């Protein structure tokens, strides 16, 4: 019968004809027959099954074997013996060099017919040894899957005792060698199925023998932490972790992170490879294990490992959000990595270039998964905006991409940041500042944040960029008896000459720290600035005068010396004067008092104050960036402080650039008294704590700095509880108060009073109104009659008799921005540029100093953005638009520099003379040596860090280039299939890129 069957199978008959003949042979095999015939048929069917060159021949061999195993069990058991199986497993079947791949399938098929036979136990014993040997030989994924199927169907063949643990460990190593060599989608799906079969066997063993779990995991960790492997272990190991019971997680992680025998390099290698597992599709709980290990490392303060791994892997994790099949796990890992990386913006900023493209891809996908992920991603992005504010130029494209998505409230943001931080102790991360390999391309140097010290850093950078002040500080001589000014000189010198990308202002912080400030808490930068300038001023008053050397060498004229030498540097640079006049409305007596100031605090008008109808003064002038010719009659001082000037009409083409008109009260003649007029909201107090910040006219974003200055200078009614005690009347009377500027500072500092007190919540809230900031500003300065001749010495026209106002032009040079909604929280950063006199003052035309050039007034003057350690190029456009894009980022403190003119000519001449004689500031010997030594030290630190970092980086597992995922998404928009980045899209290539 075996000859007949062989002839039929080998014949050239059609398969349907062959099938009929084979059926007859199989039916005949069900009848009793002698042992010899059975052996012949079993040998033939074994040959067909193991060496058949077609699926049809193997199927026939299988059918015959099943019939003989069922109907001739004794003969089958005799044939399917231990010696035969040992030969098959060790030597194979078929011609040498072409051994059959179906031996394991054959054994699995035959085992079902000998389970009850006396030889069963011998066969099981043999297989327990042989499968262990096979696994140790590192079979292919396909052969390993066949072993797993065999052992899953016949668990009696699973190694027992000490061999069982060895088997589990070797099976894990075997999985670690799995590689899918094909890029076809069908082949990849087959590979995934094979891996799941193998890892499923491990799960089965772990369920029955829990004692094997921890040793197996130890072997897994040894494999992924090894630094000696030529090739990285396969990501297929992710399939093993998903079967580890979660209740073991805490103990496993605790043991790993507290094991002193595990080096940092090994731990970094392990966690890096685990993070790569987010690419593994259909794996469960992988993200939980990755996050648990990251948290475990944070608990034992392994911050160096966390930082290196996060920065090297976060972009790859982010790219996996393109793929629905792994998106959920990748997003969980990404959320933890970003929310925990709170000491620096580095990790978040790595993702900024890729966020818009990912958001566009998820929008295009338009699936429930994509929608949910977009909302979570937007929440994550806003958390990062909140934590790392001060980068408007970088964040603008990202904000545009997510502007239509929900914005979490501040409580939600604080909750997410609070529960995910590596540590609540900020000083534990003090040594892990953002790594800056070299100085900013701007050539400027940043300042290290020492724990919510951005308020100080922003103020220092603004003062440093005030070039006239900086040069004066750097020219300070030794032994000046001004310790705080000396520390500022050292800080400025390092900002000017250090090779470091950022320096620590720790020494200056400790010296300039107000005693009532809480260490580590956010402070008001305006309060700090006032305190600092006052300290420097008082210190110089009691010490050596900064211009003493100039006086001794007679470099200054007697007039200049008399006017300026008795002033401190702070008074020269930031000091102005203001006249406050109060007029009794009964007797019309006027009392006045002049006081000095270093900044003007500008309140926001209340909601019922209509700025557009304010006719008590003509407006402070805002000038565009165009070139400004001196007006024809600017030498004349305008009017009297008691005369109201007519406000420009809206239709007047000159209304937007009218000269500053007279300030003050109105005469009681035929012109209506302003106190009886509704033109000016004089009944409302200008207390900043009561200012609501609502706009009185026009759109909410139409408020400007000139509006606030005009409000500051407008008359204020003193009535009811605020009545004025008139000395002439000897009683409380209604009165009107007005402020007039009598001396403009060289650097005008304006503080916008954005923090108001809310009586309902009993808290200070922030006024978030957008305020437009002019790049050039005209300020009205009152000139007294006795000063007229001296002030107008540089002018071409004589002054009018009596007191009057003149316009002083100021150029914007710095803007401190507060990001946040409370003065006790948020972040400060600043925009700044250097405003200098481009035309020498020694060559005036007709006695009038030349105005600044076109370039000095337009937007081409380079702006810089200072945000702690980071310094970047910026523009006035960014300054102007920051609040439009980021509503919580608002201008708070402004620095303007006075342009050379009439009132300022003395100081400008003195500064120009000093610059001409001394050139660039020359630092004293000790300071130069300190800078030189620190620069050498920095180079040595860089060399050491480079060596250490190279060792760390070399330990990180190599992985495919993450950006290929994003590039593929961009190129394969029209593809289709089940696993693409877009909904339902993606070809086989994209799927292969996902898994491996």
């Amino acid at each position: 019968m075996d000859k007949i069957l062989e002839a039929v199978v080998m014949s050239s008959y059609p398969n349907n004809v062959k099938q009929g003949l084979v059926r007859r042979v199989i039916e005949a095999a069900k009848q009793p027959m002698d042992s010899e015939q059975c052996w012949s048929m079993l040998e033939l069917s074994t040959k067909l099954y193991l060496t058949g060159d077609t699926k049809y021949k193997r199927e026939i061999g299988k059918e015959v074997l099943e019939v003989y195993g069922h109907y001739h069990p004794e003969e089958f058991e005799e044939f399917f013996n231990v010696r035969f199986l040992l030969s098959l497993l060790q030597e194979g079947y078929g011609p040498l060099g072409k051994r059959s791949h179906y031996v394991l399938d054959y054994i699995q098929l035959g085992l079902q017919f000998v389970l009850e036979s006396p030889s069963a136990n011998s066969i099981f014993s043999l297989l327990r040894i042989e499968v262990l040997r096979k696994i140790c030989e590192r079979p292919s994924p396909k052969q390993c899957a066949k072993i797993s199927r065999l052992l899953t169907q016949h668990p009696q063949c699973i190694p027992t005792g000490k061999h069982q643990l060895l088997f589990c460990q070797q099976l894990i190593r075997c999985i670690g060698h799995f590689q899918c060599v094909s890029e076809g989608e069908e082949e990849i799906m087959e590979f995934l199925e094979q891996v799941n079969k193998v890892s499923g066997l491990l799960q089965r063993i772990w369920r029955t023998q829990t004692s094997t779990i921890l040793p197996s995991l130890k072997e897994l960790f040894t494999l992924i932490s090894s630094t000696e492997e030529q090739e990285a272990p396969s990501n297929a190991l992710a399939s093993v972790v998903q079967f580890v019971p979660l209740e073991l997680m805490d103990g496993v992680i605790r043991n790993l992170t507290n094991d002193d025998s595990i080096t940092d390099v090994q731990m970094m290698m392990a966690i890096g490879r685990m993070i790569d597992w987010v690419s593994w599709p259909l794996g469960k709980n992988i993200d939980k294990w990755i996050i648990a290990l990251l948290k475990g490392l944070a608990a034992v303060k392994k911050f160096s490992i966390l930082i290196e791994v996060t920065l090297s892997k976060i972009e790859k994790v982010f790219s996996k959000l393109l793929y629905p099949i792994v998106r959920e796990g990748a997003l969980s890992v990404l959320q933890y990595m970003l929310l925990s990386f709170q000491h620096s913006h580095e990790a978040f900023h790595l993702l900024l270039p890729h966020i818009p493209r990912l958001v566009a891809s998820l929008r295009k996908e338009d699936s429930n998964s994509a929608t949910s992920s977009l909302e979570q991603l937007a929440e994550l992005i806003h958390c990062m905006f909140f934590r790392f504010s001060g980068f408007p130029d970088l964040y603008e494209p990202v904000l545009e991409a997510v502007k239509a998505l929900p914005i979490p409230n501040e409580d939600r943001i604080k909750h997410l940041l609070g529960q995910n931080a590596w540590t609540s102790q900020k000083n534990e991360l003090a040594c892990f500042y953002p790594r800056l390999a070299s100085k900013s391309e701007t050539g400027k140097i940043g300042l290290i944040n020492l724990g919510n010290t951005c308020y100080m850093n922003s103020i220092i950078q603004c003062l440093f960029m005030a070039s006239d002040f900086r040069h004066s500080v750097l020219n300070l001589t030794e032994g000046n008896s001004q310790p705080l000014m000396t520390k500022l000189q050292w800080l400025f010198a390092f900002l000017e000459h250090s090779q470091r990308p950022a320096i620590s202002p720790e020494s200056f912080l400790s010296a300039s720290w107000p005693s009532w400030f809480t260490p580590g808490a956010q402070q008001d930068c305006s309060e700090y600035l006032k305190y600092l300038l006052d300290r420097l001023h008082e210190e110089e008053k009691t010490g050596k005068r900064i211009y003493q050397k100039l006086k001794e060498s007679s470099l200054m004229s007697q007039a200049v010396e008399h006017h300026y030498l008795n002033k401190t540097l702070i008074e020269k640079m930031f000091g102005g004067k203001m006249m406050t006049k109060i007029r009794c409305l009964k007797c019309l007596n006027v009392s006045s008092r002049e006081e000095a100031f270093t900044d003007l605090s500008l309140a926001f008008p209340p909601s019922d104050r209509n700025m557009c109808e304010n006719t008590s003064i003509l407006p402070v002038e805002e000038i565009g960036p165009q070139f400004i010719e001196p007006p024809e009659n600017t030498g004349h001082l305008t009017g009297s402080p008691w005369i109201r000037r007519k406000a420009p009409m809206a239709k007047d083409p000159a209304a937007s650039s009218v000269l500053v008109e007279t300030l003050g009260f109105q005469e009681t003649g035929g012109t209506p008294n302003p106190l009886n007029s509704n033109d000016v909201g004089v009944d409302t107090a200008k207390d900043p704590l009561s200012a609501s910040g609502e706009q009185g006219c026009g759109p909410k974003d139409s408020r400007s700095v000139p509006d606030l200055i005009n409000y500051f200078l407008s008359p204020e009614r003193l009535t009811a509880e605020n009545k004025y005690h008139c000395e002439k009347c000897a009683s409380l009377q209604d009165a009107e108060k007005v402020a007039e500027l009598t001396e403009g500072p060289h650097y005008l500092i304006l503080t916008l009073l954005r923090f108001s007190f809310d009586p309902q919540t009993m808290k200070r809230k922030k006024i978030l109104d957008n305020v437009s900031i002019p790049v050039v500003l005209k300020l009205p300065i009152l000139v007294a009659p006795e000063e007229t001749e001296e002030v107008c010495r540089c002018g071409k026209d004589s002054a009018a008799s009596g007191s009057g106002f003149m316009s002083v032009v100021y150029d914007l040079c710095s803007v401190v921005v507060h990001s946040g909604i409370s003065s006790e929280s948020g972040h400060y950063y600043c925009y700044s540029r250097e405003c200098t006199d481009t035309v020498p003052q020694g060559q005036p035309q007709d006695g009038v100093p030349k105005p600044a050039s076109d370039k000095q007034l337009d937007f081409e003057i380079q702006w810089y953005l200072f945000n702690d350690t980071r310094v970047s190029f910026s523009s006035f456009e960014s300054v102007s638009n920051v609040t439009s894009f980021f509503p919580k980022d608002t201008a708070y403190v402004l620095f303007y520099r006075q342009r050379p003119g009439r009132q300022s000519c003395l100081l400008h001449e003195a500064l120009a003379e000093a610059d001409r004689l001394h050139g660039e500031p020359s630092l004293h010997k000790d300071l130069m040596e300190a800078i030189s030594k620190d620069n050498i030290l920095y180079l040595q630190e860089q060399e050491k860090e480079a060596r250490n970092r190279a060792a760390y980086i070399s330990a990180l597992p190599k992985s495919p280039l993450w950006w290929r995922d994003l590039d593929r998404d961009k190129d394969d928009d029209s593809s289709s299939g089940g696993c693409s980045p877009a909904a339902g899209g993606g070809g086989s290539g994209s799927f292969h890129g996902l898994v491996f």
Side-chain angles (χ1 to χ4, degrees):
M1 189 179 292
D2 59 303
K3 299 297 183 185
I4 297 172
L5 179 60
E6 186 174 13
V8 169
V9 171
M10 300 301 177
S11 70
S12 58
Y13 295 126
N15 283 348
N16 59 341
V17 175
K18 290 182 184 181
Q19 191 63 36
L21 297 173
V22 169
R23 283 285 153 215
R24 293 184 183 181
V25 173
I26 290 176
E27 288 300 321
K30 295 179 181 180
Q31 304 302 319
M33 61 177 64
D34 57 60
S35 178
E36 185 179 349
Q37 185 62 46
C38 284
W39 269 78
S40 297
M41 287 297 290
L42 287 169
E43 286 179 345
L44 176 60
S45 59
T46 297
K47 179 182 177 181
L48 290 174
Y49 188 88
L50 292 175
T51 62
D53 54 1
T54 64
K55 185 177 180 181
Y56 175 70
K57 292 178 181 178
R58 293 194 297 274
E59 285 294 329
I60 291 175
K62 179 183 177 183
E63 287 187 47
V64 173
L65 283 169
E66 289 175 337
V67 168
Y68 277 84
H70 186 73
Y71 290 97
H72 307 279
E74 293 181 2
E75 287 78 5
F76 188 89
E77 181 183 341
E78 186 180 352
F79 178 82
F80 200 77
N81 59 68
V82 172
R83 181 174 295 180
F84 175 59
L85 295 181
L86 181 61
S87 174
L88 283 178
L89 290 167
Q90 293 189 353
E91 300 175 13
Y93 189 93
L96 191 63
K98 196 177 181 181
R99 300 298 193 189
S100 173
H101 298 294
Y102 301 99
V103 170
L104 292 169
D105 305 88
Y106 176 82
I107 293 174
Q108 182 178 345
L109 175 64
L111 273 178
Q112 60 185 313
F113 303 110
V114 298
L115 294 177
E116 304 299 330
S117 69
S119 62
N121 288 333
S122 299
I123 293 175
F124 294 154
S125 297
L126 170 68
L127 291 176
R128 291 187 196 109
I129 296 172
E130 286 301 306
V131 294
L132 178 57
R133 182 183 62 80
K134 283 280 187 185
I135 289 298
C136 290
E137 292 175 353
R138 307 288 181 262
S140 67
K142 187 174 184 178
Q143 291 299 308
C144 206
K146 288 181 178 181
I147 294 175
S148 299
R149 276 194 294 267
L150 170 63
L151 300 184
T152 301
Q153 185 174 349
H154 303 290
Q156 306 94 320
C157 303
I158 297 174
T160 57
K162 61 180 182 180
H163 288 162
Q164 187 174 76
L165 175 57
L166 180 60
F167 178 78
C168 291
Q169 293 172 328
Q170 292 301 317
L171 196 59
I172 287 173
R173 287 201 168 270
C174 195
I175 296 173
H177 283 81
F178 285 178
Q179 298 295 335
C180 183
V181 295
S182 174
E183 294 191 5
E185 189 165 328
E186 290 184 6
E187 290 82 357
I188 293 175
M189 293 301 296
E190 182 182 2
F191 174 75
L192 292 175
E193 184 179 353
Q194 292 164 357
V195 173
N196 285 338
K197 284 286 184 186
V198 179
S199 57
L201 173 62
L202 268 174
Q203 181 191 25
R204 183 186 181 97
I205 297 174
W206 287 349
R207 280 179 178 174
T208 57
Q209 296 293 331
T210 56
S211 61
T212 61
I213 297 178
L214 293 180
S216 298
L217 291 181
K218 186 175 182 180
E219 189 70 20
L220 173 63
F221 185 82
T222 301
L223 186 60
I224 63 175
S225 64
S226 173
T227 59
E228 299 175 357
E229 297 288 337
Q230 294 296 322
E231 292 186 5
S234 170
N235 283 350
L237 289 169
S239 64
V240 174
V241 176
Q242 64 181 329
F243 296 125
V244 181
L246 292 180
E247 55 265 26
L248 297 178
M249 181 182 290
D250 289 343
V252 170
I253 298 300
R254 188 165 52 251
N255 289 338
L256 282 178
T257 54
N258 288 281
D259 189 341
D260 293 336
S261 66
I262 300 173
T263 67
D264 285 358
V265 172
Q266 289 174 321
M267 184 62 76
M268 186 179 301
M269 184 71 75
I271 186 61
R273 285 169 173 164
M274 285 182 67
I275 290 174
D276 288 342
W277 292 351
V278 297
S279 302
W280 188 258
L282 307 177
K284 297 177 182 178
N285 300 328
I286 296 172
D287 56 321
K288 293 182 176 64
W289 281 95
I290 294 172
I291 293 170
L293 184 52
L294 291 173
K295 287 182 176 180
L297 291 171
V300 296
K301 299 178 174 42
K302 296 285 188 179
F303 300 128
S304 295
I305 297 175
L306 290 168
I307 290 171
E308 292 293 343
V309 169
T310 301
L311 294 179
S312 64
K313 294 295 182 180
I314 195 166
E315 289 174 284
K316 182 175 182 182
V317 173
F318 180 81
S319 71
K320 300 309 170 188
L321 299 183
L322 290 167
Y323 302 97
I325 199 169
V326 298
R327 183 175 294 151
E328 183 179 356
L331 185 56
S332 295
V333 175
L334 178 72
Q335 284 175 323
Y336 179 76
M337 292 175 83
L338 274 183
L339 290 173
S340 62
F341 202 94
Q342 293 186 30
H343 71 288
S344 162
H345 55 258
E346 288 176 282
F348 178 52
H349 284 191
L350 286 174
L351 304 181
L352 294 179
H354 319 301
I355 291 175
R357 192 190 301 180
L358 175 69
V359 171
S361 178
L362 293 178
R363 287 186 186 279
K364 182 179 178 182
E365 182 178 319
D366 193 26
S367 66
N368 290 337
S369 168
T371 302
S372 174
S373 298
L374 273 174
E375 292 177 355
Q376 293 179 68
L377 184 63
E379 181 177 71
L380 192 58
I381 289 170
H382 283 289
C383 286
M384 295 296 100
F385 284 167
F386 180 87
R387 180 64 186 87
F388 304 116
S389 55
F391 301 92
D393 297 349
L394 290 177
Y395 293 168
E396 192 174 309
V398 177
L399 187 66
E400 182 69 21
V402 301
K403 64 181 180 181
L405 297 170
I407 301 175
N409 60 44
E410 187 168 339
D411 289 339
R412 170 67 176 167
I413 290 175
K414 289 180 177 178
H415 171 72
L416 289 172
L417 292 172
Q419 71 176 6
N420 288 284
W422 284 337
T423 173
S424 60
Q425 304 299 318
K426 295 180 180 178
N427 60 339
E428 291 182 343
L429 287 166
C431 59
F432 299 106
Y433 297 117
R435 288 190 308 269
L436 300 170
S438 59
K439 226 173 175 179
S440 162
E441 61 181 355
T442 64
K444 304 296 181 183
I445 296 175
L447 290 168
I448 294 171
N449 191 315
L450 302 174
N452 280 329
T453 58
C454 53
Y455 67 91
M456 179 189 71
N457 290 351
S458 298
I459 292 301
I460 289 175
Q461 293 287 17
C462 289
L463 293 175
F464 178 79
M465 292 296 284
S467 54
D468 298 330
F469 177 66
R470 179 179 75 245
H471 289 159
S472 297
V473 172
L474 291 176
N475 276 320
L476 193 66
T477 58
E478 287 187 272
N480 53 71
S481 301
Q482 300 178 60
L484 184 58
M485 185 68 84
T486 300
K487 286 186 178 294
L488 183 62
Q489 181 191 43
W490 278 62
L491 183 56
F492 277 5
F494 272 82
L495 285 174
E496 183 96 0
H497 299 288
S498 178
Q499 293 300 313
R500 295 181 183 273
I503 60 175
S504 171
E506 185 174 5
S507 176
F508 187 77
L509 173 66
S510 60
S512 64
W513 182 282
S515 59
W516 61 91
F517 277 16
T518 304
Q522 185 61 276
Q523 306 294 341
D524 188 326
C525 76
S526 174
E527 183 180 5
Y528 174 76
L529 174 61
K530 288 183 177 72
Y531 174 80
L532 175 61
L533 295 182
D534 185 60
R535 277 274 309 274
L536 293 171
H537 168 69
E538 292 298 327
E539 188 179 82
E540 185 177 350
K541 279 176 63 177
T542 58
K544 184 178 179 180
R545 294 294 186 266
I546 198 169
Y547 281 114
Q548 190 64 34
K549 193 170 185 178
L550 291 177
K551 178 183 178 182
E552 293 171 355
S553 58
S554 300
L555 294 176
M556 302 178 67
S557 67
Q558 292 299 316
V560 173
E561 178 184 326
H562 173 74
H563 194 76
Y564 286 102
L565 194 55
N566 58 351
K567 287 189 174 184
T568 67
L569 178 60
I570 299 304
E571 288 177 310
K572 293 186 185 79
M573 293 295 165
F574 305 103
K577 290 183 180 178
M578 180 192 314
M579 181 75 73
T580 302
K581 297 180 180 180
I582 301 179
R583 177 185 182 188
C584 175
L585 295 181
K586 182 178 180 181
C587 67
L588 302 183
N589 180 58
V590 178
S591 65
S592 61
R593 176 171 54 90
E594 189 175 55
E595 55 188 346
F597 68 88
T598 53
D599 80 312
L600 297 180
S601 298
L602 305 180
F604 284 70
S607 57
D608 59 348
R609 177 63 173 246
N610 194 328
M611 295 295 295
C612 296
E613 297 179 1
N614 181 4
T615 56
S616 65
I617 60 170
L618 286 178
V620 172
E621 207 172 320
E622 177 179 340
I623 307 174
Q626 72 278 7
F627 176 73
I628 302 171
E629 289 288 350
E632 184 176 351
N633 295 321
T634 53
H636 290 288
L637 304 179
T638 56
S640 160
W642 303 105
I643 300 175
R644 176 202 295 271
R645 298 295 181 180
K646 181 179 179 183
M649 301 296 291
K651 62 183 179 180
D652 186 352
S656 63
S657 59
V658 67
L659 292 177
V660 176
E661 298 283 350
T662 304
L663 299 161
F665 306 110
Q666 194 172 3
E667 282 289 325
T668 57
T671 309
N673 191 312
L675 302 179
N676 298 323
S677 169
N678 293 325
D679 289 343
V680 182
V682 294
D683 292 328
T684 305
K686 294 183 286 185
D687 182 359
L689 298 183
S690 66
S692 67
E694 294 296 323
Q695 178 64 291
C697 67
K700 191 173 183 180
D701 60 354
S702 63
R703 205 182 294 279
S704 67
V705 169
D707 289 340
L708 301 187
I709 298 177
N710 283 328
Y711 176 59
F712 176 84
L713 297 175
S714 63
E716 177 184 358
R717 175 75 69 87
L718 303 178
T719 61
E721 295 179 356
N722 293 324
K723 280 188 177 183
Y724 165 68
H725 185 274
C726 177
E727 293 183 358
K728 188 173 182 180
C729 299
S731 62
L732 293 174
Q733 299 292 336
D734 288 350
E736 194 174 49
K737 182 173 74 173
V738 70
E740 297 169 338
L741 303 179
T742 57
E743 183 178 320
H746 184 62
Y747 283 102
L748 172 67
I749 301 175
L750 303 176
T751 300
L752 311 187
L753 297 179
R754 290 190 172 274
F755 301 109
S756 62
F757 184 75
D758 188 344
Q760 293 182 345
T761 61
M762 300 300 289
K763 294 181 179 179
R764 293 179 74 193
K765 67 178 182 179
K766 182 178 176 181
I767 300 170
L768 295 173
D769 289 14
N770 192 4
V771 177
S772 63
I773 305 171
V775 69
V776 181
L777 185 71
K778 267 190 174 182
L779 199 66
I781 303 296
L782 178 67
V783 181
E786 62 271 17
E787 298 176 353
T788 301
E789 183 178 352
E790 177 66 21
V791 170
C792 293
R793 180 173 59 86
C794 301
K796 63 182 179 181
D797 297 314
S798 60
S801 60
S803 298
F805 289 89
M806 61 175 291
S807 293
V808 176
V809 180
Y810 282 88
D811 296 303
L812 180 68
C813 52
S814 291
V815 179
V816 179
V817 177
H818 177 263
S819 177
I821 60 173
S822 167
S823 60
E824 291 81 23
S825 63
H827 179 63
Y828 289 100
Y829 58 95
C830 70
Y831 293 91
S832 200
R833 64 171 181 168
E834 289 198 53
C835 293
T836 56
D837 303 333
T838 56
V839 180
Q841 295 304 311
Q843 302 174 1
Q845 292 182 348
D846 300 326
V848 181
K850 292 182 180 179
S853 65
D854 293 353
K855 184 174 182 181
Q856 194 67 9
L857 291 175
D858 64 20
F859 295 124
E860 294 180 13
I861 300 177
Q862 185 60 62
W863 283 87
Y864 302 94
L865 175 56
F866 295 89
N867 187 0
D868 289 334
T869 55
R870 183 180 183 270
V871 187
S872 58
F873 290 115
S874 191
S875 65
F876 182 69
E877 182 181 12
S878 179
V879 180
S880 303
N881 296 334
V882 62
T883 307
S884 301
F885 284 99
F886 303 92
K888 295 179 183 178
D889 291 28
T890 53
Y892 184 41
V893 178
L894 313 178
F895 284 69
Y896 281 87
R897 181 183 185 271
Q898 186 178 144
R899 192 177 296 177
R902 288 130 191 80
Q903 192 192 44
S904 65
C905 60
L906 296 176
L907 178 58
H908 279 279
E909 285 179 2
L911 292 171
E913 182 73 5
D915 284 345
R916 186 179 68 80
L917 291 173
H918 298 285
E920 283 297 311
S922 57
L923 306 180
H924 56 79
K925 183 179 179 182
D926 289 348
L927 184 49
M928 287 298 294
E929 287 181 356
I931 295 173
S932 178
K933 286 180 180 179
D934 186 69
N935 286 339
I936 294 172
L937 177 63
Y938 170 65
L939 294 176
Q940 294 171 344
E941 291 171 357
Q942 286 293 94
E943 292 177 3
K944 183 178 179 180
E945 182 181 345
R947 288 194 296 269
N948 294 340
R949 183 163 170 74
Y952 264 93
I953 295 301
S954 64
L956 289 171
K958 303 298 186 293
S959 56
L961 299 178
W962 57 267
W963 58 80
R964 288 179 180 170
D965 295 316
L966 291 168
D967 291 340
R968 185 181 298 111
D969 174 58
K970 184 178 180 181
D971 299 335
D972 296 346
D973 287 342
S974 60
S975 60
S976 61
C979 302
S980 84
S988 59
S990 65
F991 189 59
H992 184 269
L994 162 67
V995 183
F996 311 105

